[in-house]
């Protein structure tokens, strides 16, 4: 192809046509043409040369130039694209290092191979520009619902034409066994838009909980207007879902508004989600109350909340157990996702048996440790005493309220409890020393001898070892894996240590060892508080 003999305006016409078709800037196409022509010229004149091409944006004329840069004598490496100050004097009046000498060279005739290479460069540049344009157009639309037409299906993934852009609905983001044919209309949630060098950039989902929330926003004007808010959504895509809503207007029932006249509003969402059954639940700030609502249609007898562990026990009548758990555990799993709590469901009989077992275990502890008869130990447990520390260090008056306990008996009980605790502490300390624990850890304030022994068994034997521990390694925590909460046991968790207390202990150890500057820590805390206040504002 002889580019020089062709109609020069044809270059600009081609650039404009391509830019119009791909909805990109014509200037980007012209730049791609310049680069492709420069490559062809280098293959003709030599790859070492710095050949550049400039296409006039009005006439389409292509100008080929050779550029040489002036460098220091010792830095001269490429004789075709560089020259020394001395060599430059024959071309320039007062050359300096960094000066550039530009001379025009004859245009080149593009052979078949060069033309093919030029075409590849232009196509690549156009693709990059098109991808950049798509990213800029859609990056702010993540989190919204979009309609598109199915273009094709690749290995279970559906390619969707959004009009000027392509998106992908991956296999695990489809509801159940949905299948699509070319040109089918599809509505989906824009889950993510990210810049990728290759492949798709716009990722759709029909299984995301947010998809359901956005569908309700489209069907329920009160949600769109902010009168009703969707607080949480949990889904088993294609099967069942729970959505929690709250109304900021006392005269509007949030559940009724979402259901609509004769169920018209919720039915529209159900139809879009392939018949997914939806439970609409009133949201409540009180977690136990919210959980009772979330477990509908099952009835709940009692709820016991452990806020520190993020765990909750639910007691239901025997006949309600299967309903509360649901088919394959679906109802309780969705309720757990909705409330973000780990839920244990038990019948009234199971709870009664568990409480009886706890009662017997505490009774046995007091009988053995304090040398009491069974009746007296049961009295202590009935009054709410659960461990020896409570008996040893409680106010004397709290023991005197027990029937048959006078001041002398109360003091004797406390003496026995303290002696037993001291004996336990000494035994734990001896065991820890045998395991090789250093005094730096034994003397560290905030750790009991029993805690030190537990740490030693976990191979934490020095203050340095303790300072490297993570707070969750000490206090325990929860990890979410594949949507399920898994318990991580902490070394000091049996002693009732909280995550905040573990953080304080570890940070104190690091300060004592000089690993952390207290002044910097204080400044970081102040900055954090200021940032939180700014975010709230």
């Amino acid at each position: 192809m002889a580019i020089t003999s062709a109609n020069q305006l044809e270059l600009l016409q081609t650039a404009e046509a391509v830019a119009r078709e791909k909805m990109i800037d014509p200037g980007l196409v012209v730049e791609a043409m310049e680069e492709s022509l420069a490559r062809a010229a280098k293959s003709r004149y030599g790859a070492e040369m710095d050949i550049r091409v400039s296409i006039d944006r009005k006439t389409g004329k292509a100008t080929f130039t050779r550029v040489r840069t002036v460098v220091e004598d010792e830095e001269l490496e490429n004789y075709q694209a560089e020259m020394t100050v001395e060599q430059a004097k024959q071309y320039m009046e007062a050359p300096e290092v960094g000066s550039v000498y530009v001379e025009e060279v004859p245009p080149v005739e593009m052979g078949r191979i060069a033309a093919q290479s030029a075409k590849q460069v232009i196509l690549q540049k156009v693709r990059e520009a098109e991808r950049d344009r798509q990213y800029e157009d859609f990056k702010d639309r993540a989190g919204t619902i979009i309609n598109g037409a199915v273009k094709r299906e690749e290995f279970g993934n559906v390619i969707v034409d959004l009009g000027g852009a392509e998106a992908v609905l991956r296999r695990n983001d489809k509801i159940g066994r949905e299948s699509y044919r070319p040109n089918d209309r599809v509505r989906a949630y824009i889950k993510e838009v990210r810049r990728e060098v290759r492949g798709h950039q716009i990722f759709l989902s029909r299984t995301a909980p947010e998809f359901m929330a956005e569908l309700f926003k489209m069907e329920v004007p009160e949600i769109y207007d902010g009168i009703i808010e969707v607080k949480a959504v949990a889904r088993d895509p294609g099967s069942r879902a729970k959505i929690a809503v709250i109304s900021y207007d006392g005269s509007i029932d949030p559940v009724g508004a979402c259901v609509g006249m004769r169920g018209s509003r919720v039915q529209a969402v159900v139809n879009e989600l392939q018949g997914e059954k939806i439970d609409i639940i009133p949201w409540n700030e009180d977690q136990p109350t919210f959980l009772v609502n979330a477990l509908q249609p099952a009835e709940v007898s009692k709820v016991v909340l452990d806020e520190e562990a993020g765990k909750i026990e639910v007691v239901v009548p025997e006949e309600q157990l299967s309903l509360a758990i649901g088919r394959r555990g679906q109802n309780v799993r969705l309720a757990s996702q909705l409330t973000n709590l780990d839920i244990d469901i038990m019948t009234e009989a199971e709870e009664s048996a568990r409480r009886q077992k706890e009662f017997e275990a505490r009774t046995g502890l007091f009988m053995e440790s304090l040398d009491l008869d069974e009746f007296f130990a049961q009295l202590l447990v009935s009054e709410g005493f659960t461990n020896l520390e409570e008996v040893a260090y409680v106010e004397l008056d709290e023991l005197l309220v027990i029937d048959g306990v006078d001041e002398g008996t109360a003091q004797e009980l406390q003496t026995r409890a303290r002696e037993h605790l001291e004996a336990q502490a000494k035994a734990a300390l001896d065991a820890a020393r045998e395991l090789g624990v250093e005094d730096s850890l034994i003397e560290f304030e905030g750790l009991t001898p029993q805690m030190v022994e537990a740490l030693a068994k976990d191979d934490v034997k020095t203050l340095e070892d303790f300072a490297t521990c993570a707070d969750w390694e000490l206090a325990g925590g929860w990890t979410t894996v594949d949507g399920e909460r898994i318990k991580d046991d902490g070394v000091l968790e049996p002693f009732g240590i909280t995550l905040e207390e573990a953080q304080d202990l570890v940070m104190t150890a690091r300060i004592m060892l000089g690993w952390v500057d207290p002044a910097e820590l204080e400044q970081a805390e102040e900055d954090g508080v200021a940032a939180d206040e700014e975010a709230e504002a």
Side-chain angles (χ1 to χ4, degrees), residues 389 393 421-433 435 437 441-457 460 492 495:
E389 284 81 0
Y393 302 110
L421 289 172
E422 287 170 6
Q424 283 184 330
K426 184 179 182 305
L429 208 55
D430 292 342
R433 291 188 189 280
L435 290 169
V437 175
L441 189 61
I442 291 173
E443 295 167 2
F444 181 67
E445 189 175 347
L447 295 179
T448 65
Q450 287 89 341
M451 289 180 181
V452 174
E453 182 186 11
L455 288 168
K457 289 178 180 177
V460 178
L492 302 182
F495 304 98

Side-chain angles (χ1 to χ4, degrees), residues 186-402:
V186 61
R187 180 187 286 181
Y189 177 78
I190 300 180
K191 186 177 181 180
E192 186 181 9
V193 180
R194 62 171 182 257
R195 196 185 292 275
E196 296 281 354
V197 178
R198 297 182 65 185
H200 296 281
Q201 301 184 113
I202 305 166
F203 300 91
L204 306 179
S205 176
R206 285 174 55 80
T207 60
E210 296 86 355
F211 181 46
M212 177 183 285
E214 287 296 315
L215 287 173
F216 270 101
K217 188 175 180 180
M218 295 170 67
E219 297 294 336
V220 183
E222 291 87 349
I223 295 178
Y224 183 83
D225 293 336
I227 299 170
I228 294 174
E229 183 185 354
V230 176
K231 298 291 285 186
V233 181
R235 292 182 63 193
D236 191 350
S239 177
R240 192 171 178 186
K242 290 179 183 285
I243 180 168
V245 291
I246 185 173
S247 172
Y248 295 113
D249 185 334
S251 63
I252 296 178
D253 171 27
V255 175
C258 292
V259 171
M261 187 73 70
R262 296 181 182 175
S264 58
R265 292 176 176 177
V266 70
Q267 194 58 46
V269 178
V270 168
N271 293 340
E272 179 62 45
L273 299 177
Q274 305 293 321
E276 194 169 311
K277 295 181 179 65
I278 302 173
D279 296 335
I280 303 172
I281 295 159
W283 188 81
N284 197 298
E285 286 187 3
D286 181 55
Q287 281 190 314
T289 304
F290 180 36
L291 180 63
V292 170
N293 295 339
L295 282 170
Q296 291 177 2
E299 296 176 6
V300 177
S301 303
K302 186 165 62 173
V303 173
V304 181
L305 174 65
D306 183 349
E307 292 185 7
E308 288 183 5
K311 188 176 180 181
I312 200 160
E313 290 180 352
V314 177
V315 181
V316 297
E318 185 75 40
E319 66 276 7
Q320 293 284 318
L321 182 63
S322 60
L323 191 60
I325 295 173
R327 184 166 55 92
R328 297 179 183 173
Q330 187 183 63
N331 193 52
V332 68
R333 185 173 66 251
L334 291 175
S336 179
Q337 291 174 14
L338 198 70
T339 58
N340 201 29
L341 290 168
D342 188 48
I343 302 172
D344 283 342
I345 292 187
M346 61 181 71
T347 63
E348 292 171 342
E350 288 172 338
E351 195 233 1
S352 175
R354 193 203 64 180
R355 291 197 173 279
Q356 182 61 33
K357 189 175 178 181
E358 288 178 356
F359 186 86
E360 290 172 359
R362 289 169 184 168
T363 299
L365 170 69
F366 291 143
M367 288 173 64
E368 182 181 348
S369 305
L370 303 179
D371 192 22
L372 302 176
D373 60 34
E374 185 178 6
F375 176 74
F376 205 100
Q378 287 176 347
L379 277 178
L380 280 177
V381 178
S382 300
E383 288 295 328
F385 290 95
T386 59
N387 54 53
L388 292 176
E389 284 81 0
E390 291 177 358
V391 177
Y393 302 110
V394 78
E395 292 292 332
L396 209 60
D397 293 343
E398 294 192 34
L399 289 170
L400 295 175
V401 298
I402 301 173

Side-chain angles (χ1 to χ4, degrees), residues 31-310:
E31 287 175 13
M33 290 179 169
E34 290 173 342
E35 185 178 329
S36 62
L37 290 173
R39 282 197 183 186
K42 283 185 179 182
S43 66
R44 168 70 176 80
Y45 288 112
E48 297 294 322
M49 286 193 182
D50 185 1
I51 303 292
R52 302 179 190 179
V53 178
S54 174
I55 296 176
D56 190 295
R57 296 317 194 253
K58 292 182 179 178
T59 65
K61 181 182 178 183
T63 304
F64 292 69
T65 55
R66 177 188 181 188
V67 178
R68 283 189 281 181
T69 306
V70 180
V71 297
E72 299 280 2
D73 292 2
E74 61 273 12
E75 293 179 3
L76 184 63
E77 293 179 357
N78 183 355
Y79 293 93
Q80 300 291 348
E82 298 171 345
M83 56 184 173
T84 64
V85 175
E86 194 63 35
Q87 291 171 339
K89 286 181 180 178
Q90 57 183 309
Y91 305 106
M92 307 165 70
E93 289 186 4
E96 297 178 353
V97 174
S99 299
V100 175
Y101 177 67
V102 181
E103 60 179 330
E104 192 170 338
V105 295
V108 298
E109 297 285 326
M110 292 184 72
R112 183 176 59 81
I113 296 175
Q116 191 67 23
S117 174
K119 182 181 177 183
Q120 292 298 325
V121 171
I122 293 171
L123 287 174
Q124 179 64 26
K125 286 286 184 181
V126 168
R127 277 196 293 265
E128 289 176 4
E130 189 179 12
R131 295 179 70 75
D132 287 343
R133 192 265 309 163
Q134 286 182 9
Y135 176 77
E136 292 299 326
D137 285 353
F138 284 89
K139 68 178 182 180
D140 296 326
R141 295 179 67 181
T144 62
I145 287 179
I146 198 165
N147 292 305
V150 174
K151 206 168 186 180
R152 62 187 182 279
E153 191 164 351
E154 298 175 350
F155 309 107
N157 302 323
V158 178
I159 311 305
V160 182
D161 184 1
L162 302 180
E166 276 189 3
V168 61
L169 178 63
R170 289 177 289 198
R171 183 186 306 173
N172 56 349
D173 284 313
K174 294 192 294 183
I175 297 175
R177 296 184 178 180
E178 282 183 329
S179 61
Y180 296 97
R181 289 177 294 183
N183 299 320
D184 282 354
R185 299 299 297 175
V186 61
R187 180 187 286 181
Y189 177 78
I190 300 180
K191 186 177 181 180
E192 186 181 9
V193 180
R194 62 171 182 257
R195 196 185 292 275
E196 296 281 354
V197 178
R198 297 182 65 185
H200 296 281
Q201 301 184 113
I202 305 166
F203 300 91
L204 306 179
S205 176
R206 285 174 55 80
T207 60
E210 296 86 355
F211 181 46
M212 177 183 285
E214 287 296 315
L215 287 173
F216 270 101
K217 188 175 180 180
M218 295 170 67
E219 297 294 336
V220 183
E222 291 87 349
I223 295 178
Y224 183 83
D225 293 336
I227 299 170
I228 294 174
E229 183 185 354
V230 176
K231 298 291 285 186
V233 181
R235 292 182 63 193
D236 191 350
S239 177
R240 192 171 178 186
K242 290 179 183 285
I243 180 168
V245 291
I246 185 173
S247 172
Y248 295 113
D249 185 334
S251 63
I252 296 178
D253 171 27
V255 175
C258 292
V259 171
M261 187 73 70
R262 296 181 182 175
S264 58
R265 292 176 176 177
V266 70
Q267 194 58 46
V269 178
V270 168
N271 293 340
E272 179 62 45
L273 299 177
Q274 305 293 321
E276 194 169 311
K277 295 181 179 65
I278 302 173
D279 296 335
I280 303 172
I281 295 159
W283 188 81
N284 197 298
E285 286 187 3
D286 181 55
Q287 281 190 314
T289 304
F290 180 36
L291 180 63
V292 170
N293 295 339
L295 282 170
Q296 291 177 2
E299 296 176 6
V300 177
S301 303
K302 186 165 62 173
V303 173
V304 181
L305 174 65
D306 183 349
E307 292 185 7
E308 288 183 5

